[in-house]
């Protein structure tokens, strides 16, 4: 298994532009999580899905952030418009809900908004 | 609000010594706990987990201890090696599958 796959690995964009981050979870996993990591705030859960349905989006910072999971093998996190304070590493993780096994993380997307 | 936190931001140990990393959690409803290791430029990597019906679990060179009475979790690394240098996170979850992380502690291994 290739693990959780995220793209792109690095993204540099100008303030005001739309940014789309992508995630492919591990095949068979039915829960997907988006996290943001910064030095100041650590790892923050933004949103998570069970069986493609958003369960808890209370961590999404504001309306500029949106996430979708159109099918079991793909999810996107979109920021529109992006701002410099959105600069962070964004991680996607997946698991099989109820299995009690560790959640597997992707390698992350490092976003820089200038 | 409920949170998971770590006592110390950094830990420096001599190569070959044992390391102990501690974590306090506040959500008494949490029933599953995980330790993650994160190396520079990589995502968190699963190390070991423990369920709330256990108080100890051992892996290869690592042991996790859970004290539900005082809501405390620890990670013990035996014979610490340079490759163990990283940031370590504890995380907790419950019936809602929402995984919450502590702020992380840096383990630095001196040669």
């Amino acid at each position: 298994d290739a693990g959780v796959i995220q793209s792109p690995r690095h993204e540099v964009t100008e303030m005001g532009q739309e940014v789309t981050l992508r995630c492919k979870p591990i095949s068979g996993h039915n829960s997907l999580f988006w996290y943001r990591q910064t030095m100041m705030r650590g790892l923050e859960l933004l949103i998570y899905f069970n069986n493609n349905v958003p369960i808890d989006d209370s961590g999404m910072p504001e309306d500029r952030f949106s996430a979708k999971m159109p099918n079991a093998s793909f999810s996107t996190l979109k920021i529109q418009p992006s701002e410099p304070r959105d600069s962070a590493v964004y991680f996607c993780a997946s698991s099989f809900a109820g299995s009690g096994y560790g959640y597997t993380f992707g390698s992350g997307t490092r976003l820089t908004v200038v | 609000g409920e949170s998971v936190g770590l006592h110390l931001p950094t830990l420096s140990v001599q190569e070959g010594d044992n390391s102990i990393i501690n974590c306090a959690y506040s959500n008494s409803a949490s029933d599953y706990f995980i330790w993650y290791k994160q190396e520079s430029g990589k995502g968190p990597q699963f190390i070991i987990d423990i369920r709330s019906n256990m108080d100890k679990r051992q892996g290869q060179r690592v042991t996790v201890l859970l004290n539900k009475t005082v809501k405390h979790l620890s990670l013990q690394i035996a014979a610490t090696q340079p490759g163990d240098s990283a940031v370590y996170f504890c995380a907790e979850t419950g019936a809602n599958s929402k995984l919450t992380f502590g702020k992380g502690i840096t383990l630095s291994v001196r040669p």
Side-chain angles (χ1 to χ4, degrees), chain B residues 6-54:
Chain B
L6 294 171
H7 295 303
L8 299 173
T10 59
L11 176 65
S12 180
V13 298
Q14 190 72 38
E15 180 179 357
D17 287 353
N18 296 336
S19 301
I20 300 176
I21 302 172
N22 296 305
C23 175
Y25 66 95
S26 59
N27 186 354
S28 56
S30 294
D31 60 5
Y32 180 52
F33 305 87
I34 310 171
W35 279 102
Y36 284 90
K37 172 186 180 183
Q38 187 176 25
E39 297 173 292
S40 181
K42 298 183 179 179
Q45 178 187 4
F46 173 92
I47 301 174
I48 192 168
D49 58 0
I50 189 167
R51 290 200 164 281
S52 58
N53 60 353
M54 303 172 68

mmCIF file of all heavy atoms in Angstrom, chain B residues 6-54:
data_model
loop_
_atom_site.group_PDB
_atom_site.id
_atom_site.type_symbol
_atom_site.label_atom_id
_atom_site.label_comp_id
_atom_site.label_asym_id
_atom_site.label_seq_id
_atom_site.Cartn_x
_atom_site.Cartn_y
_atom_site.Cartn_z
ATOM 1 N N LEU B 6 1.398 18.308 26.854
ATOM 2 C CA LEU B 6 2.682 17.746 27.244
ATOM 3 C C LEU B 6 3.320 18.638 28.285
ATOM 4 O O LEU B 6 3.171 19.846 28.287
ATOM 5 C CB LEU B 6 3.592 17.614 26.030
ATOM 6 C CG LEU B 6 3.133 16.609 24.984
ATOM 7 C CD1 LEU B 6 3.977 16.715 23.745
ATOM 8 C CD2 LEU B 6 3.216 15.209 25.537
ATOM 9 N N HIS B 7 4.060 18.014 29.245
ATOM 10 C CA HIS B 7 4.617 18.767 30.349
ATOM 11 C C HIS B 7 5.825 19.590 29.932
ATOM 12 O O HIS B 7 6.010 20.690 30.413
ATOM 13 C CB HIS B 7 5.006 17.807 31.463
ATOM 14 C CG HIS B 7 3.823 17.102 32.061
ATOM 15 N ND1 HIS B 7 2.770 17.780 32.611
ATOM 16 C CD2 HIS B 7 3.527 15.800 32.191
ATOM 17 C CE1 HIS B 7 1.880 16.904 33.059
ATOM 18 N NE2 HIS B 7 2.312 15.706 32.819
ATOM 19 N N LEU B 8 6.714 19.043 29.096
ATOM 20 C CA LEU B 8 7.968 19.692 28.773
ATOM 21 C C LEU B 8 8.090 19.871 27.274
ATOM 22 O O LEU B 8 7.773 18.998 26.499
ATOM 23 C CB LEU B 8 9.147 18.851 29.280
ATOM 24 C CG LEU B 8 9.216 18.606 30.777
ATOM 25 C CD1 LEU B 8 10.343 17.626 31.097
ATOM 26 C CD2 LEU B 8 9.450 19.917 31.526
ATOM 27 N N PRO B 9 8.628 21.013 26.844
ATOM 28 C CA PRO B 9 8.781 21.211 25.400
ATOM 29 C C PRO B 9 9.972 20.475 24.799
ATOM 30 O O PRO B 9 9.946 20.140 23.637
ATOM 31 C CB PRO B 9 8.978 22.719 25.289
ATOM 32 C CG PRO B 9 9.542 23.134 26.598
ATOM 33 C CD PRO B 9 8.946 22.214 27.616
ATOM 34 N N THR B 10 11.057 20.260 25.578
ATOM 35 C CA THR B 10 12.240 19.598 25.051
ATOM 36 C C THR B 10 12.767 18.602 26.056
ATOM 37 O O THR B 10 12.610 18.769 27.257
ATOM 38 C CB THR B 10 13.361 20.605 24.728
ATOM 39 O OG1 THR B 10 13.691 21.311 25.919
ATOM 40 C CG2 THR B 10 12.931 21.576 23.657
ATOM 41 N N LEU B 11 13.412 17.556 25.547
ATOM 42 C CA LEU B 11 14.047 16.558 26.375
ATOM 43 C C LEU B 11 15.369 16.166 25.733
ATOM 44 O O LEU B 11 15.391 15.781 24.564
ATOM 45 C CB LEU B 11 13.143 15.329 26.520
ATOM 46 C CG LEU B 11 13.713 14.143 27.296
ATOM 47 C CD1 LEU B 11 13.935 14.530 28.752
ATOM 48 C CD2 LEU B 11 12.786 12.943 27.198
ATOM 49 N N SER B 12 16.452 16.281 26.497
ATOM 50 C CA SER B 12 17.765 15.904 25.988
ATOM 51 C C SER B 12 18.266 14.693 26.763
ATOM 52 O O SER B 12 18.289 14.720 27.993
ATOM 53 C CB SER B 12 18.744 17.069 26.137
ATOM 54 O OG SER B 12 20.024 16.710 25.651
ATOM 55 N N VAL B 13 18.654 13.641 26.051
ATOM 56 C CA VAL B 13 19.123 12.419 26.711
ATOM 57 C C VAL B 13 20.416 11.947 26.070
ATOM 58 O O VAL B 13 20.707 12.256 24.903
ATOM 59 C CB VAL B 13 18.079 11.289 26.653
ATOM 60 C CG1 VAL B 13 16.812 11.692 27.368
ATOM 61 C CG2 VAL B 13 17.809 10.889 25.219
ATOM 62 N N GLN B 14 21.188 11.204 26.822
ATOM 63 C CA GLN B 14 22.426 10.623 26.342
ATOM 64 C C GLN B 14 22.117 9.358 25.564
ATOM 65 O O GLN B 14 21.245 8.565 25.949
ATOM 66 C CB GLN B 14 23.336 10.279 27.529
ATOM 67 C CG GLN B 14 24.746 9.888 27.159
ATOM 68 C CD GLN B 14 25.570 11.059 26.674
ATOM 69 O OE1 GLN B 14 25.456 12.165 27.187
ATOM 70 N NE2 GLN B 14 26.404 10.819 25.678
ATOM 71 N N GLU B 15 22.806 9.196 24.459
ATOM 72 C CA GLU B 15 22.641 7.975 23.665
ATOM 73 C C GLU B 15 22.844 6.752 24.566
ATOM 74 O O GLU B 15 23.793 6.685 25.346
ATOM 75 C CB GLU B 15 23.649 7.949 22.514
ATOM 76 C CG GLU B 15 23.555 6.723 21.631
ATOM 77 C CD GLU B 15 24.555 6.761 20.479
ATOM 78 O OE1 GLU B 15 25.273 7.773 20.348
ATOM 79 O OE2 GLU B 15 24.629 5.777 19.734
ATOM 80 N N GLY B 16 21.956 5.791 24.459
ATOM 81 C CA GLY B 16 22.046 4.584 25.268
ATOM 82 C C GLY B 16 21.192 4.623 26.526
ATOM 83 O O GLY B 16 20.858 3.567 27.076
ATOM 84 N N ASP B 17 20.856 5.827 26.976
ATOM 85 C CA ASP B 17 19.994 5.947 28.140
ATOM 86 C C ASP B 17 18.539 5.697 27.755
ATOM 87 O O ASP B 17 18.188 5.686 26.569
ATOM 88 C CB ASP B 17 20.111 7.344 28.752
ATOM 89 C CG ASP B 17 21.430 7.540 29.478
ATOM 90 O OD1 ASP B 17 22.194 6.554 29.625
ATOM 91 O OD2 ASP B 17 21.698 8.690 29.886
ATOM 92 N N ASN B 18 17.705 5.513 28.764
ATOM 93 C CA ASN B 18 16.271 5.391 28.523
ATOM 94 C C ASN B 18 15.632 6.775 28.545
ATOM 95 O O ASN B 18 16.056 7.648 29.307
ATOM 96 C CB ASN B 18 15.630 4.512 29.598
ATOM 97 C CG ASN B 18 16.152 3.089 29.556
ATOM 98 O OD1 ASN B 18 16.618 2.621 28.519
ATOM 99 N ND2 ASN B 18 16.103 2.401 30.683
ATOM 100 N N SER B 19 14.613 6.955 27.698
ATOM 101 C CA SER B 19 13.889 8.223 27.634
ATOM 102 C C SER B 19 12.470 8.006 28.131
ATOM 103 O O SER B 19 11.866 6.965 27.867
ATOM 104 C CB SER B 19 13.832 8.739 26.190
ATOM 105 O OG SER B 19 15.122 8.923 25.658
ATOM 106 N N ILE B 20 11.966 9.008 28.808
ATOM 107 C CA ILE B 20 10.568 8.966 29.251
ATOM 108 C C ILE B 20 9.921 10.275 28.858
ATOM 109 O O ILE B 20 10.366 11.353 29.269
ATOM 110 C CB ILE B 20 10.445 8.754 30.770
ATOM 111 C CG1 ILE B 20 11.101 7.429 31.183
ATOM 112 C CG2 ILE B 20 8.972 8.766 31.172
ATOM 113 C CD1 ILE B 20 11.099 7.197 32.676
ATOM 114 N N ILE B 21 8.885 10.181 28.063
ATOM 115 C CA ILE B 21 8.137 11.358 27.623
ATOM 116 C C ILE B 21 6.741 11.265 28.219
ATOM 117 O O ILE B 21 6.082 10.217 28.102
ATOM 118 C CB ILE B 21 8.064 11.412 26.081
ATOM 119 C CG1 ILE B 21 9.480 11.425 25.481
ATOM 120 C CG2 ILE B 21 7.279 12.640 25.623
ATOM 121 C CD1 ILE B 21 9.516 11.291 23.969
ATOM 122 N N ASN B 22 6.307 12.329 28.850
ATOM 123 C CA ASN B 22 5.039 12.322 29.564
ATOM 124 C C ASN B 22 3.982 13.151 28.875
ATOM 125 O O ASN B 22 4.275 14.100 28.157
ATOM 126 C CB ASN B 22 5.244 12.838 30.987
ATOM 127 C CG ASN B 22 6.148 11.951 31.802
ATOM 128 O OD1 ASN B 22 5.901 10.742 31.924
ATOM 129 N ND2 ASN B 22 7.216 12.496 32.342
ATOM 130 N N CYS B 23 2.750 12.821 29.157
ATOM 131 C CA CYS B 23 1.612 13.506 28.550
ATOM 132 C C CYS B 23 0.447 13.464 29.516
ATOM 133 O O CYS B 23 0.183 12.425 30.135
ATOM 134 C CB CYS B 23 1.247 12.810 27.233
ATOM 135 S SG CYS B 23 -0.225 13.418 26.417
ATOM 136 N N ALA B 24 -0.253 14.594 29.638
ATOM 137 C CA ALA B 24 -1.464 14.645 30.443
ATOM 138 C C ALA B 24 -2.643 14.879 29.523
ATOM 139 O O ALA B 24 -2.556 15.637 28.568
ATOM 140 C CB ALA B 24 -1.373 15.771 31.467
ATOM 141 N N TYR B 25 -3.729 14.199 29.793
ATOM 142 C CA TYR B 25 -4.935 14.431 29.008
ATOM 143 C C TYR B 25 -6.065 14.787 29.957
ATOM 144 O O TYR B 25 -6.005 14.475 31.143
ATOM 145 C CB TYR B 25 -5.282 13.218 28.143
ATOM 146 C CG TYR B 25 -5.675 11.967 28.904
ATOM 147 C CD1 TYR B 25 -6.998 11.661 29.155
ATOM 148 C CD2 TYR B 25 -4.702 11.077 29.353
ATOM 149 C CE1 TYR B 25 -7.359 10.522 29.837
ATOM 150 C CE2 TYR B 25 -5.048 9.937 30.042
ATOM 151 C CZ TYR B 25 -6.378 9.657 30.285
ATOM 152 O OH TYR B 25 -6.729 8.515 30.965
ATOM 153 N N SER B 26 -7.093 15.442 29.428
ATOM 154 C CA SER B 26 -8.154 15.918 30.314
ATOM 155 C C SER B 26 -9.519 15.324 29.999
ATOM 156 O O SER B 26 -10.442 15.466 30.802
ATOM 157 C CB SER B 26 -8.243 17.445 30.267
ATOM 158 O OG SER B 26 -8.493 17.886 28.945
ATOM 159 N N ASN B 27 -9.642 14.639 28.846
ATOM 160 C CA ASN B 27 -10.941 14.099 28.481
ATOM 161 C C ASN B 27 -11.089 12.689 29.043
ATOM 162 O O ASN B 27 -10.530 11.739 28.514
ATOM 163 C CB ASN B 27 -11.091 14.085 26.959
ATOM 164 C CG ASN B 27 -12.483 13.662 26.522
ATOM 165 O OD1 ASN B 27 -13.310 13.274 27.339
ATOM 166 N ND2 ASN B 27 -12.738 13.733 25.230
ATOM 167 N N SER B 28 -11.866 12.549 30.103
ATOM 168 C CA SER B 28 -12.020 11.247 30.740
ATOM 169 C C SER B 28 -12.776 10.255 29.855
ATOM 170 O O SER B 28 -12.757 9.056 30.103
ATOM 171 C CB SER B 28 -12.757 11.402 32.069
ATOM 172 O OG SER B 28 -13.999 12.039 31.872
ATOM 173 N N ALA B 29 -13.432 10.762 28.805
ATOM 174 C CA ALA B 29 -14.163 9.883 27.895
ATOM 175 C C ALA B 29 -13.255 9.258 26.838
ATOM 176 O O ALA B 29 -13.673 8.354 26.116
ATOM 177 C CB ALA B 29 -15.285 10.654 27.208
ATOM 178 N N SER B 30 -12.034 9.718 26.743
ATOM 179 C CA SER B 30 -11.109 9.150 25.754
ATOM 180 C C SER B 30 -10.805 7.698 26.103
ATOM 181 O O SER B 30 -10.574 7.369 27.264
ATOM 182 C CB SER B 30 -9.813 9.959 25.706
ATOM 183 O OG SER B 30 -10.055 11.253 25.217
ATOM 184 N N ASP B 31 -10.797 6.854 25.079
ATOM 185 C CA ASP B 31 -10.563 5.442 25.348
ATOM 186 C C ASP B 31 -9.462 4.841 24.492
ATOM 187 O O ASP B 31 -9.222 3.627 24.526
ATOM 188 C CB ASP B 31 -11.859 4.637 25.184
ATOM 189 C CG ASP B 31 -12.434 4.735 23.773
ATOM 190 O OD1 ASP B 31 -11.781 5.345 22.905
ATOM 191 O OD2 ASP B 31 -13.542 4.210 23.551
ATOM 192 N N TYR B 32 -8.803 5.675 23.718
ATOM 193 C CA TYR B 32 -7.752 5.167 22.838
ATOM 194 C C TYR B 32 -6.694 6.245 22.713
ATOM 195 O O TYR B 32 -7.011 7.409 22.436
ATOM 196 C CB TYR B 32 -8.364 4.825 21.475
ATOM 197 C CG TYR B 32 -7.411 4.277 20.456
ATOM 198 C CD1 TYR B 32 -6.582 3.192 20.746
ATOM 199 C CD2 TYR B 32 -7.343 4.831 19.192
ATOM 200 C CE1 TYR B 32 -5.722 2.683 19.800
ATOM 201 C CE2 TYR B 32 -6.483 4.325 18.238
ATOM 202 C CZ TYR B 32 -5.678 3.255 18.544
ATOM 203 O OH TYR B 32 -4.820 2.757 17.596
ATOM 204 N N PHE B 33 -5.450 5.849 22.909
ATOM 205 C CA PHE B 33 -4.340 6.798 22.957
ATOM 206 C C PHE B 33 -3.221 6.316 22.041
ATOM 207 O O PHE B 33 -2.950 5.124 21.941
ATOM 208 C CB PHE B 33 -3.819 6.935 24.390
ATOM 209 C CG PHE B 33 -4.880 7.319 25.373
ATOM 210 C CD1 PHE B 33 -5.655 6.340 25.986
ATOM 211 C CD2 PHE B 33 -5.128 8.640 25.677
ATOM 212 C CE1 PHE B 33 -6.657 6.671 26.875
ATOM 213 C CE2 PHE B 33 -6.124 8.993 26.570
ATOM 214 C CZ PHE B 33 -6.887 8.011 27.171
ATOM 215 N N ILE B 34 -2.589 7.277 21.397
ATOM 216 C CA ILE B 34 -1.550 6.957 20.428
ATOM 217 C C ILE B 34 -0.346 7.864 20.644
ATOM 218 O O ILE B 34 -0.512 9.055 20.921
ATOM 219 C CB ILE B 34 -2.055 7.154 18.975
ATOM 220 C CG1 ILE B 34 -3.392 6.448 18.747
ATOM 221 C CG2 ILE B 34 -1.021 6.645 17.970
ATOM 222 C CD1 ILE B 34 -4.035 6.787 17.399
ATOM 223 N N TRP B 35 0.830 7.306 20.470
ATOM 224 C CA TRP B 35 2.053 8.105 20.421
ATOM 225 C C TRP B 35 2.533 8.150 18.972
ATOM 226 O O TRP B 35 2.591 7.126 18.294
ATOM 227 C CB TRP B 35 3.150 7.513 21.299
ATOM 228 C CG TRP B 35 3.014 7.857 22.741
ATOM 229 C CD1 TRP B 35 2.533 7.071 23.743
ATOM 230 C CD2 TRP B 35 3.382 9.091 23.370
ATOM 231 N NE1 TRP B 35 2.574 7.722 24.947
ATOM 232 C CE2 TRP B 35 3.089 8.976 24.745
ATOM 233 C CE3 TRP B 35 3.945 10.288 22.915
ATOM 234 C CZ2 TRP B 35 3.326 10.003 25.654
ATOM 235 C CZ3 TRP B 35 4.182 11.314 23.816
ATOM 236 C CH2 TRP B 35 3.881 11.164 25.175
ATOM 237 N N TYR B 36 2.884 9.372 18.554
ATOM 238 C CA TYR B 36 3.416 9.586 17.211
ATOM 239 C C TYR B 36 4.810 10.191 17.292
ATOM 240 O O TYR B 36 5.120 10.949 18.218
ATOM 241 C CB TYR B 36 2.535 10.536 16.399
ATOM 242 C CG TYR B 36 1.271 9.927 15.871
ATOM 243 C CD1 TYR B 36 0.097 9.965 16.604
ATOM 244 C CD2 TYR B 36 1.251 9.328 14.610
ATOM 245 C CE1 TYR B 36 -1.071 9.412 16.109
ATOM 246 C CE2 TYR B 36 0.084 8.767 14.110
ATOM 247 C CZ TYR B 36 -1.072 8.820 14.865
ATOM 248 O OH TYR B 36 -2.222 8.267 14.379
ATOM 249 N N LYS B 37 5.609 9.888 16.292
ATOM 250 C CA LYS B 37 6.938 10.465 16.127
ATOM 251 C C LYS B 37 6.941 11.250 14.826
ATOM 252 O O LYS B 37 6.467 10.754 13.810
ATOM 253 C CB LYS B 37 7.976 9.344 16.067
ATOM 254 C CG LYS B 37 9.388 9.781 15.711
ATOM 255 C CD LYS B 37 10.288 8.549 15.547
ATOM 256 C CE LYS B 37 11.713 8.929 15.189
ATOM 257 N NZ LYS B 37 12.563 7.720 14.957
ATOM 258 N N GLN B 38 7.465 12.466 14.882
ATOM 259 C CA GLN B 38 7.536 13.257 13.661
ATOM 260 C C GLN B 38 8.956 13.749 13.436
ATOM 261 O O GLN B 38 9.510 14.486 14.247
ATOM 262 C CB GLN B 38 6.579 14.442 13.708
ATOM 263 C CG GLN B 38 6.503 15.202 12.393
ATOM 264 C CD GLN B 38 5.483 16.319 12.403
ATOM 265 O OE1 GLN B 38 5.133 16.852 13.455
ATOM 266 N NE2 GLN B 38 4.985 16.687 11.230
ATOM 267 N N GLU B 39 9.513 13.350 12.321
ATOM 268 C CA GLU B 39 10.828 13.814 11.914
ATOM 269 C C GLU B 39 10.674 15.010 10.985
ATOM 270 O O GLU B 39 9.614 15.205 10.370
ATOM 271 C CB GLU B 39 11.594 12.681 11.233
ATOM 272 C CG GLU B 39 11.862 11.514 12.174
ATOM 273 C CD GLU B 39 12.466 10.309 11.482
ATOM 274 O OE1 GLU B 39 11.755 9.689 10.678
ATOM 275 O OE2 GLU B 39 13.641 9.999 11.741
ATOM 276 N N SER B 40 11.726 15.774 10.894
ATOM 277 C CA SER B 40 11.679 17.003 10.115
ATOM 278 C C SER B 40 11.251 16.734 8.675
ATOM 279 O O SER B 40 11.797 15.847 8.005
ATOM 280 C CB SER B 40 13.063 17.661 10.120
ATOM 281 O OG SER B 40 13.044 18.867 9.381
ATOM 282 N N GLY B 41 10.250 17.463 8.214
ATOM 283 C CA GLY B 41 9.796 17.356 6.838
ATOM 284 C C GLY B 41 8.896 16.172 6.554
ATOM 285 O O GLY B 41 8.558 15.914 5.393
ATOM 286 N N LYS B 42 8.492 15.463 7.607
ATOM 287 C CA LYS B 42 7.651 14.291 7.414
ATOM 288 C C LYS B 42 6.368 14.417 8.224
ATOM 289 O O LYS B 42 6.254 15.238 9.122
ATOM 290 C CB LYS B 42 8.401 13.022 7.828
ATOM 291 C CG LYS B 42 9.653 12.751 7.004
ATOM 292 C CD LYS B 42 10.292 11.442 7.429
ATOM 293 C CE LYS B 42 11.523 11.142 6.601
ATOM 294 N NZ LYS B 42 12.176 9.857 7.027
ATOM 295 N N GLY B 43 5.419 13.566 7.911
ATOM 296 C CA GLY B 43 4.198 13.508 8.674
ATOM 297 C C GLY B 43 4.378 12.697 9.942
ATOM 298 O O GLY B 43 5.353 11.948 10.085
ATOM 299 N N PRO B 44 3.466 12.847 10.899
ATOM 300 C CA PRO B 44 3.536 12.028 12.121
ATOM 301 C C PRO B 44 3.494 10.540 11.789
ATOM 302 O O PRO B 44 2.707 10.107 10.950
ATOM 303 C CB PRO B 44 2.284 12.464 12.888
ATOM 304 C CG PRO B 44 1.968 13.831 12.379
ATOM 305 C CD PRO B 44 2.342 13.792 10.931
ATOM 306 N N GLN B 45 4.338 9.805 12.464
ATOM 307 C CA GLN B 45 4.439 8.368 12.240
ATOM 308 C C GLN B 45 3.992 7.625 13.490
ATOM 309 O O GLN B 45 4.471 7.896 14.592
ATOM 310 C CB GLN B 45 5.887 8.013 11.898
ATOM 311 C CG GLN B 45 6.141 6.531 11.692
ATOM 312 C CD GLN B 45 7.616 6.214 11.517
ATOM 313 O OE1 GLN B 45 8.473 7.085 11.613
ATOM 314 N NE2 GLN B 45 7.923 4.955 11.275
ATOM 315 N N PHE B 46 3.091 6.684 13.315
ATOM 316 C CA PHE B 46 2.563 5.892 14.427
ATOM 317 C C PHE B 46 3.686 5.119 15.108
ATOM 318 O O PHE B 46 4.498 4.488 14.442
ATOM 319 C CB PHE B 46 1.504 4.931 13.884
ATOM 320 C CG PHE B 46 0.981 3.936 14.877
ATOM 321 C CD1 PHE B 46 -0.137 4.223 15.621
ATOM 322 C CD2 PHE B 46 1.604 2.700 15.044
ATOM 323 C CE1 PHE B 46 -0.633 3.296 16.538
ATOM 324 C CE2 PHE B 46 1.114 1.769 15.947
ATOM 325 C CZ PHE B 46 -0.018 2.071 16.689
ATOM 326 N N ILE B 47 3.729 5.192 16.454
ATOM 327 C CA ILE B 47 4.719 4.424 17.210
ATOM 328 C C ILE B 47 4.042 3.280 17.940
ATOM 329 O O ILE B 47 4.389 2.111 17.763
ATOM 330 C CB ILE B 47 5.439 5.304 18.249
ATOM 331 C CG1 ILE B 47 6.147 6.483 17.592
ATOM 332 C CG2 ILE B 47 6.446 4.467 19.032
ATOM 333 C CD1 ILE B 47 6.734 7.442 18.597
ATOM 334 N N ILE B 48 3.098 3.616 18.803
ATOM 335 C CA ILE B 48 2.448 2.622 19.634
ATOM 336 C C ILE B 48 1.138 3.202 20.138
ATOM 337 O O ILE B 48 0.986 4.422 20.241
ATOM 338 C CB ILE B 48 3.359 2.214 20.822
ATOM 339 C CG1 ILE B 48 2.810 0.976 21.529
ATOM 340 C CG2 ILE B 48 3.564 3.377 21.790
ATOM 341 C CD1 ILE B 48 3.799 0.350 22.512
ATOM 342 N N ASP B 49 0.196 2.318 20.418
ATOM 343 C CA ASP B 49 -1.093 2.771 20.924
ATOM 344 C C ASP B 49 -1.491 1.952 22.145
ATOM 345 O O ASP B 49 -0.885 0.926 22.461
ATOM 346 C CB ASP B 49 -2.165 2.686 19.845
ATOM 347 C CG ASP B 49 -2.342 1.270 19.287
ATOM 348 O OD1 ASP B 49 -1.633 0.346 19.739
ATOM 349 O OD2 ASP B 49 -3.173 1.098 18.375
ATOM 350 N N ILE B 50 -2.525 2.421 22.830
ATOM 351 C CA ILE B 50 -3.036 1.703 23.994
ATOM 352 C C ILE B 50 -4.499 2.044 24.191
ATOM 353 O O ILE B 50 -4.907 3.197 23.986
ATOM 354 C CB ILE B 50 -2.209 2.034 25.257
ATOM 355 C CG1 ILE B 50 -2.597 1.113 26.415
ATOM 356 C CG2 ILE B 50 -2.365 3.505 25.649
ATOM 357 C CD1 ILE B 50 -1.626 1.168 27.590
ATOM 358 N N ARG B 51 -5.261 1.058 24.570
ATOM 359 C CA ARG B 51 -6.665 1.277 24.865
ATOM 360 C C ARG B 51 -6.843 1.514 26.363
ATOM 361 O O ARG B 51 -5.996 1.127 27.174
ATOM 362 C CB ARG B 51 -7.489 0.071 24.428
ATOM 363 C CG ARG B 51 -7.577 -0.066 22.932
ATOM 364 C CD ARG B 51 -8.754 -0.931 22.511
ATOM 365 N NE ARG B 51 -9.062 -0.772 21.117
ATOM 366 C CZ ARG B 51 -9.747 0.250 20.624
ATOM 367 N NH1 ARG B 51 -10.160 1.218 21.400
ATOM 368 N NH2 ARG B 51 -10.000 0.306 19.332
ATOM 369 N N SER B 52 -7.973 2.078 26.710
ATOM 370 C CA SER B 52 -8.195 2.466 28.103
ATOM 371 C C SER B 52 -8.395 1.271 29.028
ATOM 372 O O SER B 52 -8.357 1.417 30.249
ATOM 373 C CB SER B 52 -9.401 3.407 28.216
ATOM 374 O OG SER B 52 -10.561 2.787 27.704
ATOM 375 N N ASN B 53 -8.593 0.091 28.461
ATOM 376 C CA ASN B 53 -8.758 -1.081 29.324
ATOM 377 C C ASN B 53 -7.410 -1.729 29.666
ATOM 378 O O ASN B 53 -7.356 -2.801 30.257
ATOM 379 C CB ASN B 53 -9.689 -2.110 28.689
ATOM 380 C CG ASN B 53 -9.174 -2.618 27.352
ATOM 381 O OD1 ASN B 53 -8.183 -2.109 26.832
ATOM 382 N ND2 ASN B 53 -9.840 -3.602 26.798
ATOM 383 N N MET B 54 -6.338 -1.061 29.255
ATOM 384 C CA MET B 54 -4.997 -1.548 29.539
ATOM 385 C C MET B 54 -4.241 -0.450 30.278
ATOM 386 O O MET B 54 -4.585 0.725 30.192
ATOM 387 C CB MET B 54 -4.245 -1.894 28.251
ATOM 388 C CG MET B 54 -4.955 -2.911 27.372
ATOM 389 S SD MET B 54 -4.131 -3.105 25.778
ATOM 390 C CE MET B 54 -2.600 -3.877 26.291
#
